[in-house]
Amino acid sequence: KDVTAGIIVAIIALPLSIALALASGVGPEAGIFTAIVAGFVISALGGSSVQIAGPTAAFASIVAGIVARNGMDGLVLATILAGIILILMGVFKLGALIKFIPFTITTGFTLGIAVTIAIGQIKDFLGLTFVNSPIETMDKLLEVFRCIGTFNWQALVVGMVCLLILIFWPKRLEKIPASLIAVVVGAAMVALLKMDVKTIGDLYDISSAPPKFSLPVFSFEKMSAVASDAFTIAILAAIESLLSCVVADGMIGSRHNSNMELVAQGAGNIASALFGGIPATGAIARTAANIKNGGRTPIAGMVHAVVLLLILVSLMPLAKLIPMPAIAAILF
Protein backbone atom coordinates (compact mmCIF):
# COMPACT_ATOMS: atom_id res chain seq x y z
CA LYS A 1 0.00 0.00 0.00
CA ASP A 2 2.89 2.36 0.76
CA VAL A 3 4.39 1.76 -2.69
CA THR A 4 1.02 2.34 -4.40
CA ALA A 5 0.42 5.51 -2.38
CA GLY A 6 3.94 6.74 -3.23
CA ILE A 7 3.34 6.29 -6.96
CA ILE A 8 -0.04 8.11 -6.84
CA VAL A 9 1.42 11.00 -4.81
CA ALA A 10 4.30 11.29 -7.31
CA ILE A 11 1.77 11.68 -10.16
CA ILE A 12 -0.02 14.39 -8.15
CA ALA A 13 3.28 16.09 -7.25
CA LEU A 14 4.64 16.25 -10.82
CA PRO A 15 2.42 19.03 -12.30
CA LEU A 16 2.28 20.79 -8.91
CA SER A 17 6.08 20.87 -8.59
CA ILE A 18 6.43 22.33 -12.10
CA ALA A 19 3.67 24.89 -11.48
CA LEU A 20 5.07 26.02 -8.12
CA ALA A 21 8.60 26.33 -9.53
CA LEU A 22 7.34 28.60 -12.32
CA ALA A 23 5.33 30.65 -9.79
CA SER A 24 8.56 30.99 -7.78
CA GLY A 25 10.46 32.49 -10.70
CA VAL A 26 12.77 29.50 -11.28
CA GLY A 27 12.98 26.80 -13.98
CA PRO A 28 10.43 23.95 -13.99
CA GLU A 29 13.01 21.28 -13.17
CA ALA A 30 13.93 23.07 -9.90
CA GLY A 31 10.50 22.16 -8.50
CA ILE A 32 10.98 18.49 -9.37
CA PHE A 33 14.53 18.49 -7.91
CA THR A 34 13.00 19.82 -4.67
CA ALA A 35 10.32 17.12 -4.53
CA ILE A 36 12.92 14.40 -5.26
CA VAL A 37 15.74 15.45 -2.90
CA ALA A 38 13.87 17.14 -0.04
CA GLY A 39 10.97 14.69 -0.39
CA PHE A 40 13.26 11.69 0.10
CA VAL A 41 15.34 13.18 2.96
CA ILE A 42 12.35 14.51 4.92
CA SER A 43 10.43 11.22 4.61
CA ALA A 44 13.51 9.24 5.66
CA LEU A 45 14.31 11.37 8.73
CA GLY A 46 10.97 12.99 9.63
CA GLY A 47 8.98 12.94 12.83
CA SER A 48 5.78 12.00 10.99
CA SER A 49 5.41 8.61 9.33
CA VAL A 50 3.17 9.91 6.52
CA GLN A 51 4.42 13.45 5.77
CA ILE A 52 5.03 14.22 2.07
CA ALA A 53 7.37 17.15 1.48
CA GLY A 54 8.20 19.28 -1.54
CA PRO A 55 7.71 22.77 -2.96
CA THR A 56 4.55 24.49 -1.68
CA ALA A 57 2.54 27.57 -2.52
CA ALA A 58 3.56 29.27 0.73
CA PHE A 59 7.09 29.83 -0.59
CA ALA A 60 6.25 30.95 -4.14
CA SER A 61 6.15 34.72 -3.66
CA ILE A 62 8.99 34.66 -1.11
CA VAL A 63 11.28 32.66 -3.43
CA ALA A 64 10.42 34.89 -6.41
CA GLY A 65 11.42 37.96 -4.36
CA ILE A 66 14.72 36.42 -3.22
CA VAL A 67 15.62 35.37 -6.78
CA ALA A 68 14.78 38.87 -8.10
CA ARG A 69 16.94 40.58 -5.45
CA ASN A 70 19.84 38.17 -4.97
CA GLY A 71 19.71 35.67 -7.86
CA MET A 72 19.80 31.87 -7.60
CA ASP A 73 23.03 31.98 -5.54
CA GLY A 74 21.23 34.11 -2.97
CA LEU A 75 18.31 31.66 -2.87
CA VAL A 76 20.66 28.70 -2.36
CA LEU A 77 22.45 30.46 0.51
CA ALA A 78 19.15 31.53 2.12
CA THR A 79 17.78 27.97 1.90
CA ILE A 80 20.96 26.45 3.42
CA LEU A 81 20.91 28.98 6.27
CA ALA A 82 17.20 28.27 6.80
CA GLY A 83 18.00 24.55 6.97
CA ILE A 84 20.60 25.17 9.67
CA ILE A 85 18.12 27.31 11.65
CA LEU A 86 15.48 24.54 11.40
CA ILE A 87 17.94 21.91 12.65
CA LEU A 88 18.86 24.15 15.61
CA MET A 89 15.15 24.70 16.35
CA GLY A 90 14.70 20.93 16.50
CA VAL A 91 17.85 20.34 18.60
CA PHE A 92 16.74 22.99 21.13
CA LYS A 93 13.22 21.50 21.21
CA LEU A 94 11.35 24.55 19.91
CA GLY A 95 8.79 22.44 18.05
CA ALA A 96 6.24 22.78 20.85
CA LEU A 97 6.27 26.59 20.55
CA ILE A 98 4.54 26.47 17.15
CA LYS A 99 1.21 25.68 18.86
CA PHE A 100 1.21 29.17 20.43
CA ILE A 101 0.98 30.94 17.03
CA PRO A 102 -2.61 32.26 16.74
CA PHE A 103 -4.79 30.49 14.18
CA THR A 104 -5.86 33.86 12.74
CA ILE A 105 -2.26 34.63 11.76
CA THR A 106 -1.77 31.35 9.88
CA THR A 107 -5.21 31.75 8.23
CA GLY A 108 -4.53 35.33 7.15
CA PHE A 109 -1.08 34.44 5.91
CA THR A 110 -2.43 31.52 3.87
CA LEU A 111 -5.16 33.72 2.37
CA GLY A 112 -2.51 36.31 1.46
CA ILE A 113 -0.50 33.61 -0.35
CA ALA A 114 -3.65 32.53 -2.24
CA VAL A 115 -4.37 36.08 -3.43
CA THR A 116 -0.74 36.65 -4.43
CA ILE A 117 -0.57 33.45 -6.48
CA ALA A 118 -3.97 34.03 -8.12
CA ILE A 119 -2.97 37.55 -9.27
CA GLY A 120 0.37 36.22 -10.52
CA GLN A 121 -1.39 33.69 -12.80
CA ILE A 122 -3.82 36.07 -14.55
CA LYS A 123 -1.18 36.84 -17.21
CA ASP A 124 -0.80 33.21 -18.37
CA PHE A 125 -4.48 32.36 -17.93
CA LEU A 126 -5.49 35.18 -20.31
CA GLY A 127 -2.44 34.77 -22.57
CA LEU A 128 -1.33 38.37 -22.00
CA THR A 129 2.02 39.73 -23.22
CA PHE A 130 3.57 41.98 -20.56
CA VAL A 131 5.72 44.99 -21.52
CA ASN A 132 7.42 44.99 -18.09
CA SER A 133 8.25 42.06 -15.77
CA PRO A 134 6.95 43.21 -12.36
CA ILE A 135 7.79 41.35 -9.15
CA GLU A 136 5.40 42.92 -6.64
CA THR A 137 1.80 41.68 -6.59
CA MET A 138 0.10 45.07 -7.06
CA ASP A 139 2.52 45.92 -9.90
CA LYS A 140 1.50 42.65 -11.60
CA LEU A 141 -2.16 43.60 -11.26
CA LEU A 142 -1.53 47.04 -12.77
CA GLU A 143 0.41 45.43 -15.64
CA VAL A 144 -2.60 43.15 -16.33
CA PHE A 145 -4.80 46.23 -16.86
CA ARG A 146 -2.12 47.98 -18.97
CA CYS A 147 -1.67 44.96 -21.26
CA ILE A 148 -5.29 43.73 -21.43
CA GLY A 149 -5.25 44.59 -25.16
CA THR A 150 -2.91 41.59 -25.76
CA PHE A 151 -5.61 39.16 -24.50
CA ASN A 152 -5.49 35.74 -26.26
CA TRP A 153 -8.90 34.00 -26.36
CA GLN A 154 -7.32 30.65 -27.24
CA ALA A 155 -5.28 30.73 -24.02
CA LEU A 156 -8.46 31.49 -22.04
CA VAL A 157 -10.27 28.53 -23.64
CA VAL A 158 -7.43 26.14 -22.68
CA GLY A 159 -7.26 27.61 -19.18
CA MET A 160 -11.02 27.35 -18.63
CA VAL A 161 -11.15 23.73 -19.83
CA CYS A 162 -8.31 22.81 -17.44
CA LEU A 163 -9.92 24.72 -14.57
CA LEU A 164 -13.26 22.94 -15.09
CA ILE A 165 -11.45 19.57 -15.10
CA LEU A 166 -9.72 20.47 -11.82
CA ILE A 167 -13.04 21.45 -10.22
CA PHE A 168 -15.31 18.65 -11.44
CA TRP A 169 -12.99 15.64 -12.07
CA PRO A 170 -12.42 14.83 -8.33
CA LYS A 171 -16.20 14.57 -7.82
CA ARG A 172 -16.28 11.58 -10.20
CA LEU A 173 -12.87 9.88 -10.24
CA GLU A 174 -10.85 10.83 -7.18
CA LYS A 175 -8.23 8.10 -7.69
CA ILE A 176 -6.84 9.64 -10.92
CA PRO A 177 -5.28 13.06 -10.11
CA ALA A 178 -7.23 15.92 -11.71
CA SER A 179 -4.04 17.98 -12.25
CA LEU A 180 -2.55 15.21 -14.43
CA ILE A 181 -5.72 15.00 -16.54
CA ALA A 182 -5.75 18.80 -16.87
CA VAL A 183 -2.19 19.04 -18.23
CA VAL A 184 -2.71 16.08 -20.61
CA VAL A 185 -5.98 17.52 -21.98
CA GLY A 186 -4.48 21.03 -22.22
CA ALA A 187 -1.39 19.78 -24.06
CA ALA A 188 -3.53 17.68 -26.42
CA MET A 189 -5.76 20.68 -27.24
CA VAL A 190 -2.80 22.92 -28.09
CA ALA A 191 -0.96 20.25 -30.11
CA LEU A 192 -3.88 18.72 -32.03
CA LEU A 193 -5.85 21.93 -32.69
CA LYS A 194 -2.68 23.93 -33.51
CA MET A 195 -3.68 26.61 -31.01
CA ASP A 196 -1.61 29.77 -30.60
CA VAL A 197 -0.87 29.24 -26.90
CA LYS A 198 2.47 29.49 -25.10
CA THR A 199 3.81 26.23 -23.65
CA ILE A 200 6.54 25.58 -21.07
CA GLY A 201 8.86 24.62 -23.94
CA ASP A 202 8.34 28.06 -25.56
CA LEU A 203 9.53 29.85 -22.44
CA TYR A 204 11.99 27.49 -20.70
CA ASP A 205 14.80 25.09 -21.60
CA ILE A 206 13.93 21.83 -19.86
CA SER A 207 16.62 19.28 -19.06
CA SER A 208 15.99 15.65 -18.17
CA ALA A 209 19.30 15.43 -16.27
CA PRO A 210 18.98 14.25 -12.64
CA PRO A 211 19.81 16.66 -9.77
CA LYS A 212 23.54 17.48 -9.55
CA PHE A 213 25.44 18.49 -6.42
CA SER A 214 26.90 22.01 -6.47
CA LEU A 215 28.23 24.27 -3.73
CA PRO A 216 27.31 27.98 -3.77
CA VAL A 217 29.91 30.72 -3.39
CA PHE A 218 29.94 31.64 0.31
CA SER A 219 30.74 35.22 1.35
CA PHE A 220 29.91 37.22 4.46
CA GLU A 221 28.26 39.97 2.38
CA LYS A 222 25.93 37.52 0.61
CA MET A 223 25.07 35.68 3.81
CA SER A 224 24.20 38.91 5.64
CA ALA A 225 22.11 40.03 2.63
CA VAL A 226 19.94 36.87 2.78
CA ALA A 227 19.88 36.39 6.59
CA SER A 228 16.37 37.85 7.01
CA ASP A 229 15.10 35.74 4.08
CA ALA A 230 16.59 32.62 5.72
CA PHE A 231 14.66 33.31 8.95
CA THR A 232 11.46 33.83 6.96
CA ILE A 233 11.93 30.50 5.14
CA ALA A 234 12.79 28.67 8.39
CA ILE A 235 9.81 29.98 10.38
CA LEU A 236 7.40 29.39 7.49
CA ALA A 237 8.73 25.86 6.87
CA ALA A 238 8.40 25.06 10.57
CA ILE A 239 4.82 26.34 10.82
CA GLU A 240 3.57 24.70 7.63
CA SER A 241 5.30 21.37 8.27
CA LEU A 242 4.03 21.04 11.82
CA LEU A 243 0.51 22.09 10.79
CA SER A 244 0.65 19.36 8.14
CA CYS A 245 1.79 16.86 10.80
CA VAL A 246 -1.16 17.83 13.04
CA VAL A 247 -3.59 17.33 10.13
CA ALA A 248 -2.01 13.94 9.39
CA ASP A 249 -2.22 12.91 13.06
CA GLY A 250 -5.95 13.66 13.02
CA MET A 251 -6.43 11.51 9.91
CA ILE A 252 -4.60 8.39 11.11
CA GLY A 253 -4.79 8.77 14.91
CA SER A 254 -1.02 9.05 15.45
CA ARG A 255 1.36 11.43 17.24
CA HIS A 256 4.29 13.03 15.43
CA ASN A 257 7.65 14.05 16.92
CA SER A 258 7.73 17.80 16.22
CA ASN A 259 11.41 18.32 17.05
CA MET A 260 12.52 15.40 14.86
CA GLU A 261 10.35 16.83 12.07
CA LEU A 262 12.13 20.21 12.34
CA VAL A 263 15.55 18.51 12.09
CA ALA A 264 14.35 16.57 9.03
CA GLN A 265 12.98 19.74 7.42
CA GLY A 266 16.34 21.43 7.99
CA ALA A 267 18.29 18.54 6.47
CA GLY A 268 15.85 18.35 3.55
CA ASN A 269 16.16 22.05 2.76
CA ILE A 270 19.97 21.97 2.88
CA ALA A 271 20.00 18.94 0.56
CA SER A 272 17.47 20.57 -1.80
CA ALA A 273 19.57 23.74 -2.10
CA LEU A 274 22.77 21.77 -2.77
CA PHE A 275 21.08 19.79 -5.57
CA GLY A 276 19.47 22.69 -7.46
CA GLY A 277 16.14 22.81 -5.65
CA ILE A 278 14.18 25.50 -3.81
CA PRO A 279 12.81 25.63 -0.23
CA ALA A 280 10.60 22.70 0.76
CA THR A 281 8.15 21.93 3.52
CA GLY A 282 5.44 19.45 4.40
CA ALA A 283 2.62 19.65 1.85
CA ILE A 284 -0.79 19.23 3.48
CA ALA A 285 -2.68 18.25 0.30
CA ARG A 286 -0.06 15.69 -0.82
CA THR A 287 0.20 14.29 2.72
CA ALA A 288 -3.59 13.87 2.83
CA ALA A 289 -3.52 12.17 -0.60
CA ASN A 290 -0.83 9.80 0.70
CA ILE A 291 -2.99 8.83 3.69
CA LYS A 292 -6.16 8.43 1.60
CA ASN A 293 -4.32 6.06 -0.76
CA GLY A 294 -3.04 3.81 2.03
CA GLY A 295 0.36 5.30 2.89
CA ARG A 296 1.27 4.64 6.52
CA THR A 297 5.09 4.57 6.70
CA PRO A 298 7.98 6.75 5.39
CA ILE A 299 8.37 4.24 2.53
CA ALA A 300 5.53 6.03 0.68
CA GLY A 301 7.33 9.38 0.72
CA MET A 302 10.61 7.81 -0.38
CA VAL A 303 8.87 5.92 -3.22
CA HIS A 304 7.24 9.22 -4.30
CA ALA A 305 10.72 10.76 -4.62
CA VAL A 306 12.17 7.80 -6.57
CA VAL A 307 9.20 7.71 -8.99
CA LEU A 308 9.63 11.46 -9.65
CA LEU A 309 13.31 10.85 -10.41
CA LEU A 310 12.38 8.14 -12.93
CA ILE A 311 9.79 10.45 -14.54
CA LEU A 312 12.37 13.27 -14.71
CA VAL A 313 14.94 11.11 -16.49
CA SER A 314 12.53 9.38 -18.89
CA LEU A 315 9.55 11.67 -19.56
CA MET A 316 10.67 15.25 -18.84
CA PRO A 317 10.85 16.31 -22.53
CA LEU A 318 7.04 15.82 -22.66
CA ALA A 319 6.70 18.63 -20.08
CA LYS A 320 7.62 21.07 -22.86
CA LEU A 321 4.14 20.46 -24.33
CA ILE A 322 2.28 21.64 -21.19
CA PRO A 323 0.49 24.94 -21.97
CA MET A 324 1.01 27.86 -19.59
CA PRO A 325 -2.79 28.38 -19.07
CA ALA A 326 -2.94 24.79 -17.70
CA ILE A 327 -0.21 25.68 -15.18
CA ALA A 328 -2.18 28.82 -14.25
CA ALA A 329 -5.36 26.75 -13.75
CA ILE A 330 -3.52 24.33 -11.40
CA LEU A 331 -2.21 27.23 -9.33
CA PHE A 332 -5.67 28.85 -9.24
Side-chain angles (χ1 to χ4, degrees):
K1 281 189 174 181
D2 284 318
V3 173
T4 305
I7 293 168
I8 292 168
V9 172
I11 293 167
I12 294 169
L14 178 67
L16 277 176
S17 298
I18 293 172
L20 291 166
L22 297 181
S24 302
V26 297
E29 64 277 355
I32 299 179
F33 291 170
T34 308
I36 293 168
V37 178
F40 189 92
V41 171
I42 291 168
S43 287
L45 303 178
S48 168
S49 59
V50 292
Q51 177 92 288
I52 301 292
T56 63
F59 286 120
S61 54
I62 293 167
V63 169
I66 297 170
V67 172
R69 289 191 304 273
N70 301 299
M72 278 303 293
D73 273 354
L75 176 63
V76 170
L77 273 179
T79 309
I80 291 172
L81 286 174
I84 294 167
I85 293 166
L86 281 162
I87 290 172
L88 292 173
M89 286 170 71
V91 168
F92 291 107
K93 302 193 184 305
L94 299 180
L97 296 179
I98 300 298
K99 66 185 175 191
F100 295 111
I101 293 173
F103 183 67
T104 48
I105 289 178
T106 53
T107 306
F109 185 81
T110 308
L111 181 59
I113 292 162
V115 173
T116 300
I117 288 176
I119 290 171
Q121 298 313 304
I122 295 172
K123 169 183 176 284
D124 289 328
F125 197 75
L126 300 179
L128 304 179
T129 303
F130 278 7
V131 176
N132 305 306
S133 300
I135 300 297
E136 298 299 327
T137 299
M138 294 314 295
D139 292 340
K140 286 179 182 175
L141 192 57
L142 287 171
E143 190 72 6
V144 166
F145 287 110
R146 284 194 204 105
C147 302
I148 198 70
T150 62
F151 164 69
N152 178 351
W153 67 269
Q154 295 185 46
L156 178 62
V157 168
V158 174
M160 283 303 299
V161 169
C162 293
L163 192 58
L164 290 170
I165 290 169
L166 289 159
I167 293 167
F168 293 108
W169 184 270
K171 298 180 192 301
R172 296 285 180 185
L173 290 164
E174 196 177 337
K175 290 287 183 187
I176 305 171
S179 54
L180 180 68
I181 301 301
V183 296
V184 169
V185 170
M189 285 176 68
V190 173
L192 298 177
L193 303 177
K194 302 287 189 289
M195 299 177 83
D196 180 23
V197 175
K198 287 274 191 295
T199 65
I200 290 178
D202 294 332
L203 303 179
Y204 300 92
D205 291 324
I206 300 180
S207 167
S208 57
K212 288 188 177 67
F213 178 84
S214 64
L215 275 172
V217 178
F218 287 89
S219 71
F220 182 74
E221 289 78 18
K222 277 190 175 180
M223 289 175 75
S224 58
V226 299
S228 61
D229 293 324
F231 272 101
T232 303
I233 292 169
I235 298 300
L236 183 54
I239 293 169
E240 190 170 6
S241 295
L242 296 181
L243 281 174
S244 179
C245 287
V246 170
V247 171
D249 286 350
M251 291 179 75
I252 61 172
S254 66
R255 283 179 68 89
H256 71 278
N257 181 333
S258 57
N259 296 311
M260 189 64 234
E261 183 64 26
L262 290 177
V263 171
Q265 292 291 334
N269 273 281
I270 292 169
S272 176
L274 293 175
F275 283 90
I278 58 177
T281 182
I284 294 173
R286 274 160 273 173
T287 299
N290 179 36
I291 293 167
K292 284 181 181 177
N293 287 285
R296 290 295 180 274
T297 78
I299 297 293
M302 293 154 78
V303 167
H304 136 268
V306 172
V307 170
L308 279 173
L309 178 61
L310 295 174
I311 292 172
L312 172 70
V313 173
S314 58
L315 300 176
M316 199 55 186
L318 294 176
K320 293 179 181 178
L321 303 175
I322 300 173
M324 294 306 293
I327 295 292
I330 289 168
L331 288 165
F332 276 158

